[in-house]
Amino acid sequence: TLKIFLYTVCFVYILFLRLQAEYLLGAFMGRLYGNMTYAQYARTGFFELCKVSVINLSVLATANLLIKKEENQAIKPPMVVLCVLSLLLLSTATAKMAMYICAYGLTAKRVVSTVFLVWLVAVFLLCIIRLYKPFNLVKTAIITGAVMFCVLFSFDISLHSHIFNKKYGFEEKVAVAEQCSAAVSQNEI
């Protein structure tokens, strides 16, 4: 049944989190994983999280479509658990990005990526709320994202990043990090 499937997915995520704890949670302790650079750690975490978020949102949407009124209460707990696990993974990606920013300062890409992570947090929180109070989740998520990115792009991100970097002494580090990131990206393609 749907309930068993959702609990199985949650169990697999918990097992994954346990097995990958050092990699996933190292950012909370300010530790890089293995021989990764800050850029590789943050970038890998971001793109892994994007893939996992698409999968989790697909599972939640499918479960929501298949749910029957009488199953509604029984299905809510594993759906909430899946959302909470997604939020945990989002927090690890955000911590990795924060490490990267603390090491090398802000760039427009880092700001946009961080705002995207915040939007995903909002989407998963909205998913939890929707389980208990029905509303048009897709419309609300799209409007929330549109508002967040309109506000973001109403500012000159590069200028504000430059001001931040100058204030906190990141100017030279940003230039070096961008050169290293470009080199890493070319080697990964």
Side-chain angles (χ1 to χ4, degrees):
T1 68
L2 185 58
K3 180 178 165 183
I4 293 169
F5 172 74
L6 288 171
Y7 275 115
T8 303
V9 170
C10 291
F11 175 75
V12 169
Y13 271 108
I14 292 168
L15 184 63
F16 170 77
L17 289 170
R18 175 68 183 107
L19 294 173
Q20 294 292 316
E22 183 183 346
Y23 169 72
L24 292 170
L25 305 177
F28 291 114
M29 294 165 261
R31 289 194 310 247
L32 289 172
Y33 181 75
N35 294 327
M36 295 179 109
T37 65
Y38 286 106
Q40 291 168 325
Y41 197 41
R43 193 175 283 152
T44 301
F46 178 81
F47 288 112
E48 288 171 347
L49 175 81
C50 289
K51 292 173 193 170
V52 168
S53 293
V54 167
I55 292 167
N56 290 355
L57 289 170
S58 299
V59 168
L60 290 167
T62 302
N64 198 44
L65 290 172
L66 297 175
I67 202 168
K68 296 180 176 93
K69 287 250 189 224
E70 60 274 3
E71 289 182 316
N72 194 19
Q73 293 304 318
I75 298 299
K76 283 182 184 179
M79 290 177 79
V80 170
V81 170
L82 185 57
C83 288
V84 170
L85 291 169
S86 299
L87 289 167
L88 178 62
L89 290 172
L90 275 160
S91 67
T92 66
T94 304
K96 292 173 187 180
M97 183 62 71
M99 279 180 60
Y100 190 22
I101 291 169
C102 287
Y104 293 104
L106 290 175
T107 63
K109 285 182 182 179
R110 291 178 205 147
V111 172
V112 171
S113 298
T114 302
V115 170
F116 181 73
L117 292 172
V118 171
W119 177 74
L120 283 174
V121 167
V123 169
F124 281 103
L125 289 173
L126 289 168
C127 287
I128 294 171
I129 293 167
R130 188 185 179 294
L131 290 170
Y132 298 96
K133 184 176 181 187
F135 62 92
N136 188 331
L137 175 64
V138 174
K139 180 179 176 182
T140 305
I142 290 171
I143 290 171
T144 302
V147 168
M148 288 175 72
F149 282 96
C150 283
V151 169
L152 174 66
F153 292 123
S154 69
F155 295 99
D156 184 343
I157 301 169
S158 295
L159 174 65
H160 289 287
S161 295
H162 176 73
I163 291 168
F164 175 89
N165 293 336
K166 188 172 183 178
K167 181 177 181 178
Y168 294 103
F170 288 117
E171 285 179 310
E172 290 178 22
K173 286 184 175 184
V174 169
V176 170
E178 287 176 347
Q179 290 171 351
C180 290
S181 292
V184 167
S185 294
Q186 290 172 355
N187 288 336
E188 290 179 349
I189 294 177

